[in-house]
Amino acid sequence: MNILLLGSGGRESALARVIAKSSKTDKFFITPGNPGMKQYGDCVDLKGFDQIGDFCKTNDVKILVVGPEQPLVDGISDYFAEKEDLKDIIVIGPNKVAAQLEGSKDFSKHFMQRHNIPTAKYATFTSQTLEQGKEFLRTLSSPYVLKADGLAAGKGVLILDDLNQAEKELEDMLKNEKFGEASSKVVIEEFLSGIECSVFVLTDGDNYVLLPEAKDYKRIGEGDTGLNTGGMGSISPVPFCNEEFMQKVKTNIIERTIQGLKAENINYQGFIFFGLMNVGGDPYVIEYNVRMGDPESESVFARFDSDIVEAFTLVKDKRLKEYNININPLTATTVMLCSGGYPESYEKNKVISGLDNTFDAIIYHAGTKENADNQIVTSGGRVLAVTCLGEKIQDALDKCYKTIENISFDKMYFRKDIGKDLL
Ligand code: AMP
Ligand code: GLY
């Protein structure tokens, strides 16, 4: 079966690795891909839905796997579903309506409220209701959580200790378009105190397969300090996601979400990422994403020992309950190697060395490209994800950090404390 994967980051590298391993995969294409992904498939440059659709027809692609959220929010699944000659292609990724679970915080909070899915209390405001928003803030206690409604490249959430500052930021978001159109609506939420984890499923709209859970390390600095990033590392499995906790996740969150989508006639085929807060043993949804996580995927798929393409084919006919998932019981750890300065401004085009001598680590490329001299250079904030498996967290981490000793580029930065809070 011919497959096309959309994306170019660490998450798509992790997906590419498991897709390439499947005995069901014939020709495997990735657009745009990156230099590290060339070992898994053919990287092709396609721009826009029309080019992607034409490419699928010409190359007899049977499955389109969408890595990032933006094309989903922009309606790539609907585009395929509406075209007579594309509608039989299996698209892994939800349609535009369903993608609002990630694309609009207001939509997702309403959805959770309608279906009794545990989440922080909230209210939504616009520039017309700014004063009511400020009043609502005064009824809450510090810290204050403000969320831009739309996609804001992971920067649209503010957590503020001071009420005056929260009122000022609310005004900046609503009146001065701090996050552009994304903050034309703002969700104000009760602050939840606990420890975060990420849970993933693949669903066909009726059934679901639970993937391994993971913990992400979001802040740039050690001890979880400093600015938020896309994620600096990940661990899977997560020790506190025990059977009791995961049973609550399944019953109160995953199943209510899938039943809720179905009840609203929203046909969902693809991954759902539940960003959860464990509050005293009870899971609450912090956010939905309509894709896999990054850098969670790097750890999750390192433990994935089944045929992912078989799962994709079962999605089409809503037969996912027939799928047998095998998960490697070892622990996977991922450490992100970043450009110095990230998540603020950073330099690019730094030559990367040491990519050949990597023991049994998986080196996923996240932000790399090839320069005119055929050297691999940096091209993003998060550059490489180093993933290792081990009996225990410490074993896997030791392997990651040992591997990293051999890799270098100018101003390379990584966190040395990934997973330490779980040891
Ligand atoms: P989000 O984009 O909604 O996942 O928010 C980004 C980050 O802000 C989350 O990963 C949490 O660390 C934090 N956060 C979001 N909402 C809350 C909340 N209600 N209580 C505490 N922390 C939150
Ligand atoms: N690691 C968090 C995310 O992918 O959104």
Side-chain angles (χ1 to χ4, degrees):
M1 213 175 297
N2 297 349
I3 301 177
L4 174 64
L5 168 67
L6 244 68
S8 65
R11 165 186 47 221
E12 289 79 20
S13 300
L15 277 164
R17 181 174 160 276
V18 287
I19 292 170
K21 272 206 287 193
S22 166
S23 60
K24 294 191 161 51
T25 303
D26 293 319
K27 285 196 190 137
F28 180 32
F29 306 101
I30 306 157
T31 182
N34 67 37
M37 286 158 96
K38 287 185 185 167
Q39 66 182 300
Y40 305 126
D42 289 343
C43 295
V44 290
D45 202 17
L46 304 172
K47 299 251 175 332
F49 295 173
D50 287 339
Q51 273 192 21
I52 293 170
D54 289 344
F55 182 89
C56 288
K57 277 183 271 175
T58 314
N59 292 280
D60 195 25
V61 167
K62 298 279 193 247
I63 305 178
L64 172 70
V65 183
V66 186
E69 65 279 12
Q70 193 68 54
L72 296 167
V73 172
D74 293 343
I76 192 163
S77 296
D78 311 70
Y79 178 92
F80 272 64
E82 285 157 12
K83 294 247 174 332
E84 197 48 43
D85 45 2
L86 295 175
K87 70 176 182 5
D88 292 328
I89 295 176
I90 304 170
V91 179
I92 300 299
N95 61 26
K96 207 169 174 166
V97 172
Q100 288 181 92
L101 280 182
E102 176 165 359
S104 165
K105 300 274 188 203
D106 181 48
F107 177 90
S108 72
K109 294 296 280 191
H110 268 297
F111 177 86
M112 287 185 260
Q113 203 172 40
R114 282 197 294 278
H115 299 288
N116 196 21
I117 295 164
T119 188
K121 289 194 199 77
Y122 82 105
T124 304
F125 301 93
T126 62
S127 59
Q128 272 82 47
T129 54
L130 172 62
E131 288 312 314
Q132 285 99 307
K134 289 183 181 174
E135 271 164 43
F136 183 67
L137 279 172
R138 287 175 216 134
T139 68
L140 301 175
S141 45
S142 165
Y144 305 93
V145 183
L146 307 182
K147 299 187 172 184
D149 174 58
L151 293 182
K155 298 197 172 81
V157 176
L158 301 178
I159 299 181
L160 304 156
D161 291 328
D162 181 67
L163 177 62
N164 287 330
Q165 205 196 343
E167 290 185 20
K168 189 185 158 299
E169 290 288 357
L170 180 67
E171 184 154 345
D172 257 8
M173 288 166 93
L174 290 175
K175 280 253 147 82
N176 308 328
E177 301 191 330
K178 177 167 180 151
F179 299 107
E181 177 60 26
S183 65
S184 62
K185 278 188 204 165
V186 171
V187 169
I188 302 179
E189 257 184 41
E190 161 201 36
F191 181 82
L192 295 175
S193 188
I195 179 161
E196 283 179 68
C197 61
S198 307
V199 168
F200 307 94
V201 300
L202 176 67
T203 181
D204 59 19
D206 281 347
N207 314 286
Y208 70 94
V209 172
L210 182 67
L211 301 170
E213 77 285 353
K215 185 171 190 295
D216 176 19
Y217 291 78
K218 286 210 166 88
R219 304 293 194 95
I220 188 73
E222 282 169 25
D224 257 322
T225 53
L227 292 174
N228 248 327
T229 70
M232 297 296 292
S234 64
I235 306 279
S236 176
V238 182
F240 65 78
C241 292
N242 55 27
E243 221 174 292
E244 192 190 346
F245 180 78
M246 288 309 291
Q247 194 52 52
K248 290 181 192 169
V249 172
K250 286 188 222 168
T251 314
N252 301 340
I253 293 177
I254 298 174
E255 285 157 24
R256 286 183 196 171
T257 299
I258 292 172
Q259 280 154 16
L261 288 164
K262 211 174 155 182
E264 296 188 18
N265 282 319
I266 299 175
N267 182 29
Y268 197 114
Q269 299 198 329
F271 295 105
I272 311 179
F273 167 168
F274 303 85
L276 304 179
M277 188 74 86
N278 176 346
V279 183
D282 288 321
Y284 287 76
V285 178
I286 291 277
E287 64 165 349
Y288 286 113
N289 294 306
V290 295
R291 51 167 173 88
M292 288 298 296
D294 193 354
E296 290 97 328
S297 295
E298 289 86 319
S299 291
V300 166
F301 287 119
R303 299 181 57 218
F304 191 86
D305 277 347
S306 331
D307 186 328
I308 190 109
V309 176
E310 187 191 343
F312 293 159
T313 57
L314 291 171
V315 162
K316 176 84 176 169
D317 308 319
K318 297 193 186 291
R319 285 168 48 215
L320 255 190
K321 66 168 168 296
E322 295 168 28
Y323 188 65
N324 284 317
I325 184 166
N326 288 316
I327 297 303
N328 188 329
L330 293 176
T331 291
T333 61
T334 297
V335 179
M336 264 334 248
L337 306 183
C338 300
S339 299
Y342 171 79
E344 296 183 282
S345 65
Y346 53 83
E347 293 165 32
K348 296 183 186 173
N349 300 309
K350 306 289 186 189
V351 176
I352 305 170
S353 64
L355 286 175
D356 301 325
N357 193 4
T358 55
F359 309 103
D360 59 352
I362 309 169
I363 312 288
Y364 298 111
H365 290 222
T368 70
K369 64 173 191 194
E370 242 170 280
N371 69 11
D373 300 324
N374 296 323
Q375 292 166 308
I376 309 279
V377 298
T378 65
S379 69
R382 293 190 295 170
V383 177
L384 298 165
V386 177
T387 301
C388 293
L389 289 167
E391 282 295 334
K392 297 223 162 71
I393 295 177
Q394 188 66 62
D395 305 317
L397 285 172
D398 287 347
K399 284 197 210 171
C400 279
Y401 287 115
K402 182 115 193 69
T403 306
I404 293 169
E405 284 173 16
N406 294 314
I407 301 175
S408 67
F409 54 85
D410 186 32
K411 300 196 174 70
M412 181 172 104
Y413 170 81
F414 58 96
R415 271 180 62 170
K416 299 184 182 70
D417 67 340
I418 300 300
K420 282 227 172 102
D421 57 326
L422 301 175
L423 292 175

